């Protein structure tokens, strides 16, 4: 571990660059009595959790681990905070019973019935979905509910601090608001005793120490305490209050919250605390280039990625380039699967400095598994997209001929990969394939390939087959400008796509006899 610690001090991998901010913040360690260094991630449970929500926990965990490496194991905590006392502003597009939800607009999410009919509230349902996924990945975190903190009185002293500094907070916020919004803005949102709605009304502080405020609710002037869950703070103020009340040291957030982070940082200082360290990351985009939204349900869901790709491939994709906007759609899954294994393999031949820059090191916390499946995901996708190949057991039969001795029992990772490939091929590749007829000298080249394959034993190596494919493509008699044109012709006439695998490997996996059938169909 000492070798990694020395290398970590120099590493340019982004988790270590982020962790060094905390080392600088606490040069002699966090002062005694303030507890472990606290990492926080925030979650707004107004919509179903998605990968964009999950990535904050994963990336923050990477920074936490990096900090522990740099400090030789300094104590840390990670809090996953759910803002479940927020009022429901609009009905998400991707949930059942939308008419029921509309009758509860404005109420805290924990006071709204679960449209799925499974939990005591809408927030409890979405919180449970988040926790289940985080648990599946084995994250070490503490789930914290905003409602429980407010109603349990844990935020009461911090709320008094907001009332004591009410005007100073207004001085920070009002210049950032449009005139119409500024006219009714209040850092504190009382919860109506009549309707249960989180009110957006002007508030007058009556007694900061007692927590008493005055406001108008449905034409009636009300004096009410904001303590014990009787009010909710506006979210920028709430964010700052939470940083101070919990003692948060690190929290990353998306580029769309850059300005909000500035305002919340100022409010945190007014409340006697300081803004946490953190990274501003770029947003995930859907296939149309639009920001992924929980309420719209666009982009990939957590379950969708895991239907078509491995958990480790998801972690790999999320790790890379957090400050660059990236598409998050089904199109990125296959490449992520294969690149993950490539980085995992290379880790075992790298020295400590290089390992710390390898995504596999961070995904597996330095305990990187050895060995990769004998067949790439891309090659499996080419096989499962062929007619009649959307069956897992059938694919296993081909794989076992290609790599004798492997089985679902000896290679469970490959077994899961085949299941992913069958799902992906059946759902998204096979319906788009369109094989074209060969033209010109392509016909003669395919006939020659058929003759050459017929002369090989069924167990010919991928390398022997590849040499034959190369030789035909280089033969001037067929007039291919370059090998790329020959490969493109093979992909389009045999596989129905413009791109494809290394043909030697594909033919060895799919079988010479089966490949000759494809050629016969193409020559038809």
């Amino acid at each position: 571990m000492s070798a990694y610690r020395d290398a970590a001090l120099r590493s340019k991998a982004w988790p270590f660059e982020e962790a060094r901010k905390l080392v600088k913040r606490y040069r002699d360690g966090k002062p005694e009595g303030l507890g472990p260094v606290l990492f926080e991630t925030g979650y707004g449970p107004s919509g179903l959790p998605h990968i964009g929500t999950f990535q904050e926990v994963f990336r923050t965990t990477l920074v936490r681990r990096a900090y522990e490496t740099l400090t030789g194991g300094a104590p840390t905590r990670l809090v996953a905070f759910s803002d479940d006392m927020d009022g429901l502003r609009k009905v998400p597009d991707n949930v059942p019973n939308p008419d029921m939800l509309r009758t509860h607009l404005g109420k805290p999410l924990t006071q709204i019935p679960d449209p799925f009919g499974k939990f005591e509230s809408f927030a409890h349902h979405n919180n449970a979905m988040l926790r289940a996924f985080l648990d599946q990945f084995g994250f070490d975190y503490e789930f914290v509910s905003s409602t429980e903190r407010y109603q349990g009185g844990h935020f009461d002293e911090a709320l008094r601090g907001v009332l004591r500094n009410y005007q100073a907070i207004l001085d920070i916020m009002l210049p950032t608001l449009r005139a119409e919004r500024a006219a009714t803005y209040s850092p504190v949102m009382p919860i109506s005793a009549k309707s249960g709605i989180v009110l957006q009304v002007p508030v007058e502080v009556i007694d900061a120490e007692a927590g008493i405020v005055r406001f108008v609710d449905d034409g009636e002037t009300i004096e009410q305490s904001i303590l014990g869950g009787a009010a909710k703070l506006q979210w920028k103020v709430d964010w700052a209050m939470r940083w101070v009340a919990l003692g948060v040291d690190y929290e990353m957030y998306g580029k769309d919250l850059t300005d909000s982070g500035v305002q919340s940082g100022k409010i945190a200082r007014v409340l006697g605390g300081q803004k946490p360290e953190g990274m501003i990351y770029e947003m995930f985009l859907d296939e149309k280039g639009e920001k992924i939204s929980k309420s719209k349900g666009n982009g990939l869901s957590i379950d969708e990625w895991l239907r078509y790709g491995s958990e480790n491939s998801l972690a790999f994709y999320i790790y890379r380039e957090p400050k660059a906007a990236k598409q998050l759609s089904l199109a990125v899954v296959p490449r992520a699967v294969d690149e993950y294994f490539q980085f995992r393999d290379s880790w075992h031949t790298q020295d400590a400095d290089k390992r710390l820059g390898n995504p596999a090191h961070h995904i597996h916390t330095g305990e990187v598994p050895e060995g990769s499946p004998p067949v790439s995901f891309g090659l499996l996708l080419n096989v499962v997209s062929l007619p009649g190949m959307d069956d897992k057991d059938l694919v296993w039969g081909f794989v076992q001929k290609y790599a004798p001795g492997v089985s679902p029992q000896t290679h469970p990772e490959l077994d899961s990969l085949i299941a992913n490939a069958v799902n992906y091929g059946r759902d998204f590749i096979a319906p788009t394939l369109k094989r074209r007829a060969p033209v010109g000298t392509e016909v003669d080249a395919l006939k020659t390939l058929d003759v050459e394959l017929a002369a090989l034993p069924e167990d010919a190596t991928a390398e022997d087959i590849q040499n034959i494919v190369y030789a035909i493509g280089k033969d001037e008699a067929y007039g291919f400008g370059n090998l790329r044109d020959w490969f493109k012709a093979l992909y389009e006439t045999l596989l129905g796509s413009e791109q494809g695998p290394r043909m030697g490997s594909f033919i060895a996996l799919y079988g010479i006899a089966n490949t000759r059938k494809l050629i016969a169909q193409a020559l038809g």
Side-chain angles (χ1 to χ4, degrees):
M1 197 67 176
S2 60
Y4 283 134
R5 186 178 181 186
D6 292 341
L9 294 171
R10 303 183 302 272
S11 177
K12 294 183 179 179
W14 70 261
F16 289 107
E17 291 183 336
E18 289 299 301
R20 280 194 285 270
K21 295 177 183 178
L22 286 167
V23 173
K24 183 178 180 180
R25 185 181 183 112
Y26 297 123
R27 294 186 183 277
D28 298 319
K30 192 167 183 179
E32 188 174 350
L34 296 183
V37 168
L38 182 62
F39 295 79
E40 181 183 58
T41 63
Y43 169 59
S46 58
L48 301 180
H50 58 72
I51 295 174
T53 307
F54 160 75
Q55 62 85 17
E56 280 196 18
V57 182
F58 175 69
R59 286 174 172 165
T60 303
T61 295
L62 299 186
V63 179
R64 179 188 182 189
R65 291 171 179 164
Y67 176 76
E68 291 170 348
T69 298
L70 287 171
T71 58
T76 63
R77 294 171 57 212
L78 171 60
V79 164
F81 189 94
S82 174
D83 192 16
D84 55 18
M85 199 166 159
D86 197 19
L88 181 65
R89 293 172 176 80
K90 62 179 181 179
V91 177
D93 299 331
N94 56 346
V95 297
N97 298 313
D99 292 337
M100 178 276 289
L101 288 177
R102 289 189 188 93
T103 66
H104 294 281
L105 284 173
K107 293 181 181 178
L109 294 162
T110 44
Q111 301 302 314
I112 297 174
D114 176 16
F116 297 87
K118 297 179 180 179
F119 292 84
E120 59 188 280
S121 76
F122 188 26
H124 283 82
H125 173 273
N126 291 345
N127 286 342
M129 289 190 65
L130 177 70
R131 291 198 301 273
F133 188 64
L134 299 183
D135 291 344
Q136 183 178 348
F137 271 79
F139 286 117
D140 176 23
Y141 70 98
E142 302 167 38
F143 179 80
V144 176
S145 160
S146 175
T147 299
E148 292 177 359
R149 291 283 166 162
Y150 270 100
Q151 293 182 349
H154 304 285
F155 286 158
D156 282 356
E157 183 54 33
L159 291 172
R160 293 186 184 97
V162 170
L163 297 186
R164 295 183 195 113
N165 297 281
Y166 202 76
Q167 187 57 50
I169 294 172
L170 284 175
D171 291 342
I172 293 170
M173 289 303 304
L174 292 181
T176 70
L177 304 174
R178 296 189 303 272
E180 182 180 358
R181 175 77 170 118
T184 59
Y185 177 84
S186 167
V188 175
M189 298 181 292
I191 296 177
S192 171
K194 300 178 180 179
S195 64
I197 290 174
V198 181
L199 299 175
Q200 301 266 3
V201 295
V203 168
E204 178 185 356
V205 178
I206 301 301
D207 186 334
E209 300 309 314
I212 304 298
V213 298
R214 180 184 294 141
F215 57 93
V216 176
D217 181 7
D218 194 25
E220 181 181 359
T221 300
I222 303 292
E223 288 191 6
Q224 177 176 304
S225 169
I226 69 168
L227 306 180
K232 171 77 165 58
L233 297 180
Q234 293 280 0
W235 86 267
K236 293 178 186 178
V237 185
D238 185 275
W239 203 12
M241 180 276 294
R242 184 196 317 163
W243 287 341
V244 175
L246 299 179
V248 178
D249 296 304
Y250 186 94
E251 181 166 6
M252 62 176 65
Y253 49 88
K255 184 179 179 180
D256 58 337
L257 297 182
T258 300
D259 290 340
S260 299
V262 171
Q263 306 308 323
S264 293
K266 293 177 180 178
I267 295 170
R269 287 192 291 274
V270 166
L271 295 177
Q274 59 180 326
K275 183 180 179 181
E277 304 296 335
M279 175 180 70
I280 298 175
Y281 58 81
E282 266 288 1
M283 311 306 296
F284 283 130
L285 308 175
D286 65 12
E287 65 275 5
K288 298 178 182 178
E290 298 178 354
K291 175 180 174 291
I292 288 177
S293 164
K294 291 191 297 293
S295 60
K296 290 182 180 178
N298 59 333
L300 277 185
S301 72
I302 291 167
D303 290 337
E304 283 174 328
W305 185 293
L306 296 182
R307 173 172 169 78
Y308 304 116
S310 63
E311 293 180 359
N312 288 328
S313 68
L314 170 60
F316 170 82
Y317 190 73
I318 288 175
Y319 170 86
R320 305 193 74 186
E321 301 175 323
K323 294 185 180 181
K326 295 192 295 184
Q327 184 188 96
L328 191 60
S329 69
L330 288 169
V332 307
V333 176
R335 184 175 178 180
V337 173
D338 278 336
E339 287 190 345
Y340 156 72
F341 284 115
Q342 292 167 13
F343 276 91
R344 192 173 91 174
D345 280 346
S346 66
W347 183 90
H348 293 281
T349 61
Q350 294 173 327
D351 59 25
D353 287 337
K354 294 293 185 182
R355 283 180 170 181
L356 294 188
N358 188 323
H361 181 89
H362 299 272
I363 293 169
H364 297 287
T365 324
E367 299 295 330
V368 181
E370 292 191 47
S372 292
V375 182
S376 72
F377 192 62
L379 187 55
L380 286 172
L381 290 180
N382 285 110
V383 172
V384 301
S385 62
L386 294 170
M389 288 301 297
D390 60 345
D391 179 86
K392 181 180 172 183
D393 292 337
L394 189 59
V395 176
W396 256 115
F398 284 98
V399 171
Q400 287 169 326
K401 291 179 182 178
Y402 178 78
V406 302
S407 69
Q409 292 71 37
T410 62
H411 289 69
E413 191 171 37
L414 176 57
D415 188 53
S416 297
L417 211 60
I418 291 174
N420 291 146
V422 168
N423 291 336
Y424 196 95
R426 181 194 300 125
D427 295 349
F428 299 104
I429 297 181
T432 67
L433 298 180
K434 187 176 181 180
R435 296 173 181 83
R436 68 169 177 82
V439 295
T441 58
E442 293 174 353
V443 174
D444 294 329
L446 283 172
K447 288 180 178 179
T448 300
L449 177 60
D450 183 58
V451 171
E452 294 282 359
L453 291 178
L456 291 176
E458 185 65 27
D459 61 352
T461 68
E463 197 61 37
D464 289 340
I465 298 170
Q466 188 72 11
N467 288 337
I468 291 172
V469 176
Y470 271 133
I472 295 172
K474 291 178 179 179
D475 192 328
E476 294 181 359
Y478 303 112
F480 293 110
N482 52 56
L483 282 171
R484 187 182 300 109
D485 293 337
W486 168 226
F487 293 144
K488 189 170 186 287
L490 288 171
Y491 299 149
E492 292 178 349
T493 59
L494 302 184
L495 304 180
S497 62
E498 294 184 357
Q499 298 178 335
R502 191 171 187 267
M503 287 306 297
S505 298
F506 169 76
I507 295 171
L509 174 62
Y510 191 52
I512 289 175
N514 287 316
T515 303
R516 293 188 64 208
K517 290 178 182 178
L518 286 180
I519 295 173
Q521 292 169 5
L523 294 173

